[in-house]
Amino acid sequence: MNLILIATIAALVIPMYEAAQDNDIWQKMLAFSSIATKASIVILIVSVLRDDWMIGVVGVIILSVGNAALMLLAQILKRLNEL
Amino acid sequence: MCWPTVRVVEVTVNDSYLYAIILLMPLTAFMVIFQANPYHALVIRGILGAVSALVYAVLGAADVALTEALVGTMLAITLYAIAVRSSLVLRLGILREDEPEAENLDLKRLIADLHSITSKKHLRLELVPYEDRHALQQALWKKEIHATCSRLCQPEEARYETTIRVEYLYEILKTELSSPITSLSYLNLPTLEEKH
Amino acid sequence: MIDILGYTCIVIGIAFWFWGTWPLIGDRSVLFKLHSLSVADTLGSMSIILGLLLKLPSEWPLLILALISLAIWNTVLGYVLAYCSSSGGDRER
């Protein structure tokens, strides 16, 4: 199980590197969406690993709310490019 | 289901993944700090929010993680995006008669020059057309716009004049703008008592 | 037996993650990356959650909720991102 967690963290680092080196804002947004999903999945894995219901609830809420934040930000950035 | 349980997280050799997760947080924080473009910094701030929510949840602070995800990521970033968008802007008033059209090459080139300078400083350039010279002056005096750009009445070698009322914008444009089309001037307006 | 099945699901999910995330690094267009990311990432995440469900069935309401919200939100998000990035990009060019 520890190995699995290390592997997921390695997968989390790839989009972070991408967000740091790319200069296009939409590529950064893609990396952000990828990281948001992956982080909440890692929270879920940890909650199952520890058999902790509370962390699991938080993981599910972050999973559904983080995506809403992304959509809001994408709409605002789109308006920004129009002007 | 055990609700209010207080868990003390002990880092043992078995939990070595914790170090890897916690290490991600300063990494993203440095990425935010070294970002020059404010919008890119906002997106990376979102990444920092997601990563720190992950760290808090893994360390057992479920409530802090939830607050970070809801307030720190969603609300703060949306508000900051709106604030940055409405404050980092150069509003340039022009006359409606010389709006940049196909035949008005001079103004078009001037606007392109200004655009390249402002985008270098991450500013937005917004053109506000006015009906006549009087309305343009009024708008500058009432601080609705930051600068005006209009055709000179008796053209010399510069055919346009640009008047700026914000000092640091004037400083930037004075050093960067090398176009012979326009003359630059700074107008020091008195601070008005009433707000507009 | 079920434990092994769960682990297999999780490992398959992580493989999907790497497969979907790797194209992010390259120099391709946003839509290409979005396609690989939304397909492989969502499938990988769903497979991981399925594996977790097999491993620990007592948390099933949470994990089913995560599965559903993942399936719905990620598809919607893919559409929204594609719409925003393409119309914004047209204005820039």
Side-chain angles (χ1 to χ4, degrees):
Chain A
M1 209 63 192
N2 260 354
L3 268 182
I4 286 172
L5 263 170
I6 296 287
T8 51
I9 293 163
L12 195 61
V13 172
I14 298 175
M16 273 172 62
Y17 168 72
E18 156 70 18
Q21 55 111 127
D22 209 301
N23 261 331
D24 184 33
I25 188 127
W26 293 109
Q27 310 263 4
K28 277 189 202 296
M29 284 296 285
L30 271 187
F32 178 25
S33 77
S34 170
I35 288 175
T37 316
K38 288 189 167 86
S40 48
I41 297 286
V42 173
I43 294 178
L44 274 176
I45 294 177
V46 170
S47 85
V48 168
L49 178 68
R50 295 198 191 144
D51 200 1
D52 191 340
W53 173 273
M54 199 166 67
I55 295 180
V57 173
V58 172
V60 171
I61 293 176
I62 289 176
L63 184 67
S64 48
V65 170
N67 278 330
L70 253 163
M71 281 179 211
L72 266 175
L73 190 58
Q75 289 289 341
I76 291 172
L77 288 178
K78 175 173 158 269
R79 299 279 156 78
L80 196 90
N81 283 343
E82 275 175 2
L83 276 173
Chain B
M1 220 204 290
C2 44
W3 256 110
T5 49
V6 177
R7 281 169 188 249
V8 178
V9 178
E10 291 171 6
V11 181
T12 58
V13 187
N14 216 13
D15 281 346
S16 55
Y17 63 87
L18 267 181
Y19 291 113
I21 290 179
I22 294 171
L23 206 64
L24 290 178
M25 203 159 114
L27 198 71
T28 36
F30 275 114
M31 272 161 60
V32 179
I33 292 171
F34 291 120
Q35 203 56 236
N37 189 326
Y39 301 105
H40 293 187
L42 269 181
V43 175
I44 296 191
R45 173 66 182 77
I47 295 176
L48 174 65
V51 169
S52 51
L54 169 65
V55 172
Y56 299 150
V58 164
L59 287 181
D63 47 349
V64 185
L66 199 55
T67 314
E68 173 66 38
L70 290 177
V71 180
T73 306
M74 193 164 103
L75 196 65
I77 286 187
T78 313
L79 292 184
Y80 264 119
I82 295 170
V84 168
R85 175 177 175 275
S86 48
S87 61
L88 272 180
V89 62
L90 167 61
R91 285 166 68 86
L92 179 69
I94 54 173
L95 291 177
R96 199 180 289 281
E97 62 197 54
D98 44 45
E99 252 184 297
E101 287 149 10
E103 65 263 31
N104 200 340
L105 272 179
D106 276 348
L107 191 63
K108 217 175 177 182
R109 208 179 311 140
L110 180 60
I111 298 289
D113 279 354
L114 280 176
H115 200 85
S116 70
I117 293 170
T118 51
S119 63
K120 219 186 296 172
K121 302 279 179 194
H122 311 295
L123 282 170
R124 235 159 21 98
L125 184 66
E126 198 178 319
L127 296 180
V128 189
Y130 285 92
E131 291 301 332
D132 52 8
R133 278 169 201 279
H134 183 68
L136 195 63
Q137 280 305 317
Q138 279 296 316
L140 188 66
W141 275 87
K142 283 182 178 167
K143 301 191 173 177
E144 285 171 10
I145 49 180
H146 298 117
T148 62
C149 181
S150 59
R151 200 193 292 268
L152 275 176
C153 299
Q154 56 271 58
E156 300 139 29
E157 86 269 47
R159 269 157 291 174
Y160 284 87
E161 68 168 339
T162 307
T163 313
I164 304 167
R165 69 164 174 81
V166 187
E167 196 171 358
Y168 64 84
L169 281 178
Y170 174 66
E171 296 293 331
I172 291 173
L173 286 187
K174 199 176 67 180
T175 50
E176 304 258 337
L177 191 66
S178 58
S179 155
I181 304 169
T182 183
S183 62
L184 273 177
S185 58
Y186 168 60
L187 178 68
N188 197 359
L189 286 180
T191 48
L192 299 178
E193 283 87 51
E194 51 195 319
K195 288 266 180 190
H196 286 281
Chain C
M1 178 61 203
I2 283 188
D3 231 26
I4 295 173
L5 209 61
Y7 277 124
T8 329
C9 269
I10 293 177
V11 170
I12 288 174
I14 290 176
F16 263 102
W17 267 16
F18 275 106
W19 183 41
T21 321
W22 198 250
L24 263 184
I25 297 225
D27 221 8
R28 305 295 291 267
S29 72
V30 173
L31 288 182
F32 175 83
K33 289 181 181 178
L34 181 65
H35 174 73
S36 74
L37 200 66
S38 59
V39 173
D41 245 23
T42 312
L43 283 181
S45 307
M46 287 170 81
S47 160
I48 288 177
I49 293 181
L50 207 66
L52 293 180
L53 194 61
L54 288 177
K55 256 185 70 63
L56 193 71
S58 66
E59 275 195 25
W60 66 269
L62 263 186
L63 293 176
I64 296 280
L65 187 61
L67 215 58
I68 294 172
S69 72
L70 199 66
I72 295 174
W73 273 113
N74 265 24
T75 33
V76 175
L77 182 70
Y79 276 112
V80 170
L81 266 183
Y83 167 70
C84 289
S85 67
S86 59
S87 64
D90 276 347
R91 289 292 182 113
E92 270 180 353
R93 256 158 239 153

